[in-house]
Amino acid sequence: MYSLPSQSSPAPLTLSVFFEGTHNEIEPVTTQVGWFFEATCGVDITNKDVQADPSTSTDFKMGFDGCGVVCGLLGTVFAFGLSAQCSAVVQRVHELLQSGRPLRLNCFGLSRGGCACLMLARRLSDISPEQLLISLLLFDPVPGNSITAARHLDVCGLSTCAACMDVRACRPLRSVLALYPYEVPSHMRPRPTRTPAPTPPLVPPTPNPNS
């Protein structure tokens, strides 16, 4: 049984992460991803030299340029750069969790940035939902290759689609919303997850004095 937060319960931390589309920059604003990043309140810890200090703030954010901006042709064709961006977020997640406080991770990605959100969720699959809850908003996630090709041709699982196709094993995943601006044939769009099972509130359990 999970109870409502008590006055002694530590306030959860929030990290909001924004991944731009392939050829878009987070700053200056070029898409809605950059706009949401700019409008989100929180300490920008994208730069590794900026300290993530939970004693001074409970809200943090990170924003990333598109992989085509960061890695040029290799980013455009093969989505190079997404893995490094996900690694930077994973490092920050573990830094924030060291405070002993639960963490809410909200991710918003456009196009290849949507795939980065899914890749990130897979990287964090083993963290307990009592420590971390993940919510994903994916706008037109496009890996660059279809599910059919990933399943039957990518035997080594090296494609972008294979890296983000299935997040059902992600324990802290709370919700996923994928939005497409047009109808996409089912064999061409990634189906990243089944509906996640309901998870308890992000509050540590407390003993019932009447039990």
Side-chain angles (χ1 to χ4, degrees), residues 8-39:
S8 60
S9 298
L13 305 174
T14 300
L15 174 60
S16 300
V17 182
F18 302 85
F19 295 99
E20 262 292 5
T22 304
H23 293 292
N24 301 316
E25 295 178 320
I26 199 80
E27 291 178 336
V29 174
T30 54
T31 72
Q32 65 272 51
V33 178
W35 187 89
F36 281 120
F37 173 75
E38 187 178 81

Coordinates of all heavy atoms in Angstrom, one line a residue, residues 8-39:
S8 N 7.5 14.9 5.9 CA 8.9 14.5 6.0 C 9.5 13.8 4.8 O 10.7 13.6 4.6 CB 9.1 13.5 7.2 OG 8.3 12.4 7.0
S9 N 8.6 13.5 3.8 CA 9.0 12.9 2.6 C 9.8 13.9 1.7 O 9.3 15.0 1.5 CB 7.9 12.3 1.8 OG 7.2 11.3 2.5
P10 N 11.0 13.5 1.2 CA 11.7 14.4 0.3 C 11.0 14.7 -1.0 O 10.4 13.8 -1.6 CB 13.0 13.7 0.1 CG 12.7 12.2 0.2 CD 11.6 12.2 1.3
A11 N 11.0 16.0 -1.4 CA 10.3 16.3 -2.6 C 11.0 15.7 -3.8 O 12.2 15.7 -3.9 CB 10.3 17.9 -2.8
P12 N 10.3 15.1 -4.7 CA 10.9 14.4 -5.9 C 11.6 15.5 -6.8 O 11.2 16.6 -6.8 CB 9.7 13.7 -6.6 CG 8.5 14.5 -6.1 CD 8.8 14.9 -4.7
L13 N 12.6 15.0 -7.4 CA 13.3 15.9 -8.4 C 12.7 15.7 -9.8 O 12.1 14.6 -10.1 CB 14.8 15.5 -8.5 CG 15.5 15.6 -7.1 CD1 17.0 15.1 -7.3 CD2 15.5 17.0 -6.5
T14 N 12.8 16.6 -10.7 CA 12.3 16.5 -12.0 C 13.4 16.9 -13.0 O 14.0 17.9 -12.9 CB 11.1 17.4 -12.2 OG1 10.0 17.1 -11.3 CG2 10.6 17.3 -13.7
L15 N 13.6 16.0 -14.0 CA 14.6 16.3 -15.1 C 13.8 16.2 -16.4 O 13.2 15.1 -16.7 CB 15.7 15.3 -15.1 CG 16.7 15.4 -16.3 CD1 17.3 16.7 -16.3 CD2 17.7 14.2 -16.2
S16 N 13.7 17.3 -17.1 CA 13.0 17.3 -18.4 C 14.1 17.4 -19.5 O 15.0 18.2 -19.5 CB 12.1 18.6 -18.5 OG 11.1 18.5 -17.5
V17 N 14.0 16.5 -20.5 CA 15.0 16.3 -21.5 C 14.3 16.5 -22.9 O 13.3 16.0 -23.1 CB 15.7 14.9 -21.5 CG1 16.7 14.8 -22.5 CG2 16.3 14.7 -20.1
F18 N 15.0 17.3 -23.7 CA 14.4 17.6 -25.1 C 15.4 17.3 -26.1 O 16.6 17.7 -26.1 CB 14.1 19.1 -25.1 CG 13.1 19.6 -24.0 CD1 13.6 19.9 -22.8 CD2 11.8 19.6 -24.3 CE1 12.8 20.3 -21.8 CE2 10.9 20.0 -23.3 CZ 11.4 20.4 -22.0
F19 N 15.0 16.4 -27.1 CA 15.8 16.0 -28.2 C 15.2 16.6 -29.5 O 14.1 16.3 -29.9 CB 15.8 14.5 -28.3 CG 16.5 13.8 -27.2 CD1 15.7 13.2 -26.2 CD2 17.9 13.6 -27.1 CE1 16.3 12.5 -25.1 CE2 18.5 13.0 -26.1 CZ 17.7 12.4 -25.1
E20 N 16.0 17.4 -30.2 CA 15.5 18.0 -31.4 C 15.5 17.0 -32.6 O 16.1 15.9 -32.5 CB 16.4 19.2 -31.8 CG 15.8 20.6 -31.4 CD 14.6 20.9 -32.1 OE1 14.1 20.1 -32.9 OE2 14.1 22.1 -31.9
G21 N 14.8 17.4 -33.7 CA 14.8 16.6 -34.9 C 16.1 16.7 -35.6 O 17.0 17.5 -35.2
T22 N 16.3 15.8 -36.6 CA 17.6 15.6 -37.2 C 18.4 16.8 -37.5 O 19.5 17.0 -37.2 CB 17.4 14.7 -38.4 OG1 16.7 13.5 -38.1 CG2 18.7 14.4 -39.1
H23 N 17.7 17.8 -38.2 CA 18.5 18.9 -38.7 C 18.1 20.2 -38.0 O 18.4 21.3 -38.5 CB 18.2 19.1 -40.2 CG 18.7 18.1 -41.1 ND1 20.1 17.9 -41.3 CD2 18.1 17.1 -41.8 CE1 20.2 16.8 -42.1 NE2 19.1 16.3 -42.4
N24 N 17.6 20.1 -36.8 CA 17.2 21.3 -36.0 C 18.1 21.5 -34.8 O 18.6 20.6 -34.2 CB 15.7 21.1 -35.5 CG 14.8 20.9 -36.7 OD1 14.8 21.5 -37.7 ND2 13.9 19.9 -36.5
E25 N 18.2 22.8 -34.5 CA 19.0 23.2 -33.3 C 18.0 23.6 -32.2 O 16.9 24.1 -32.4 CB 19.8 24.5 -33.6 CG 20.9 24.2 -34.7 CD 21.7 25.5 -35.0 OE1 21.1 26.5 -35.1 OE2 22.9 25.4 -35.1
I26 N 18.5 23.3 -31.0 CA 17.6 23.6 -29.8 C 17.6 25.1 -29.6 O 16.6 25.6 -29.1 CB 18.1 22.8 -28.6 CG1 17.0 22.8 -27.5 CG2 19.4 23.4 -28.0 CD1 16.0 21.7 -27.7
E27 N 18.7 25.8 -29.8 CA 18.8 27.2 -29.7 C 19.6 27.7 -30.9 O 20.7 27.2 -31.2 CB 19.5 27.6 -28.4 CG 18.7 27.4 -27.2 CD 19.4 27.7 -25.9 OE1 20.7 27.8 -26.0 OE2 18.8 28.0 -24.9
P28 N 19.1 28.7 -31.7 CA 17.8 29.4 -31.5 C 16.6 28.5 -31.8 O 16.8 27.5 -32.5 CB 17.9 30.6 -32.4 CG 18.8 30.1 -33.5 CD 19.8 29.3 -32.8
V29 N 15.4 28.9 -31.3 CA 14.3 28.0 -31.4 C 13.9 27.9 -32.9 O 13.8 28.8 -33.7 CB 13.1 28.6 -30.7 CG1 11.8 27.8 -30.9 CG2 13.4 28.7 -29.2
T30 N 13.8 26.6 -33.3 CA 13.4 26.3 -34.7 C 12.1 25.4 -34.8 O 11.4 25.4 -35.8 CB 14.5 25.6 -35.5 OG1 14.9 24.4 -34.8 CG2 15.7 26.5 -35.7
T31 N 11.8 24.7 -33.7 CA 10.6 23.8 -33.7 C 10.0 23.9 -32.3 O 10.5 24.6 -31.4 CB 11.0 22.3 -33.9 OG1 11.7 21.8 -32.8 CG2 11.8 22.2 -35.1
Q32 N 8.9 23.2 -32.1 CA 8.2 23.2 -30.8 C 9.1 22.6 -29.7 O 8.9 22.9 -28.5 CB 6.9 22.5 -30.9 CG 7.0 21.0 -31.2 CD 7.0 20.7 -32.7 OE1 7.8 21.2 -33.4 NE2 6.2 19.7 -33.1
V33 N 10.1 21.8 -30.1 CA 11.0 21.2 -29.0 C 11.8 22.3 -28.4 O 11.9 22.4 -27.1 CB 11.9 20.1 -29.7 CG1 12.9 19.6 -28.6 CG2 11.1 19.0 -30.3
G34 N 12.4 23.2 -29.2 CA 13.1 24.3 -28.7 C 12.2 25.3 -27.9 O 12.7 25.8 -26.8
W35 N 11.0 25.4 -28.3 CA 10.1 26.3 -27.6 C 9.8 25.8 -26.2 O 9.8 26.5 -25.2 CB 8.8 26.5 -28.4 CG 7.9 27.6 -27.8 CD1 7.9 28.9 -28.0 CD2 6.9 27.3 -26.8 NE1 7.0 29.5 -27.3 CE2 6.3 28.6 -26.5 CE3 6.4 26.2 -26.2 CZ2 5.2 28.7 -25.6 CZ3 5.3 26.3 -25.3 CH2 4.8 27.6 -25.0
F36 N 9.5 24.5 -26.1 CA 9.2 23.9 -24.8 C 10.4 23.9 -23.9 O 10.3 24.1 -22.7 CB 8.7 22.4 -25.0 CG 7.2 22.3 -25.4 CD1 6.9 21.7 -26.6 CD2 6.3 22.9 -24.6 CE1 5.5 21.6 -27.0 CE2 4.9 22.8 -24.9 CZ 4.6 22.2 -26.1
F37 N 11.6 23.7 -24.5 CA 12.8 23.7 -23.7 C 13.0 25.1 -23.1 O 13.3 25.2 -21.9 CB 14.0 23.4 -24.6 CG 15.4 23.6 -23.9 CD1 15.8 22.7 -23.0 CD2 16.2 24.6 -24.2 CE1 17.1 22.8 -22.4 CE2 17.4 24.8 -23.6 CZ 17.8 23.9 -22.7
E38 N 12.8 26.1 -23.9 CA 12.9 27.5 -23.5 C 11.9 27.8 -22.4 O 12.2 28.6 -21.4 CB 12.8 28.4 -24.7 CG 13.1 29.9 -24.4 CD 13.0 30.8 -25.6 OE1 11.8 31.1 -26.0 OE2 14.0 31.1 -26.2
A39 N 10.7 27.3 -22.5 CA 9.6 27.6 -21.6 C 9.7 26.8 -20.3 O 9.0 27.2 -19.4 CB 8.2 27.4 -22.3

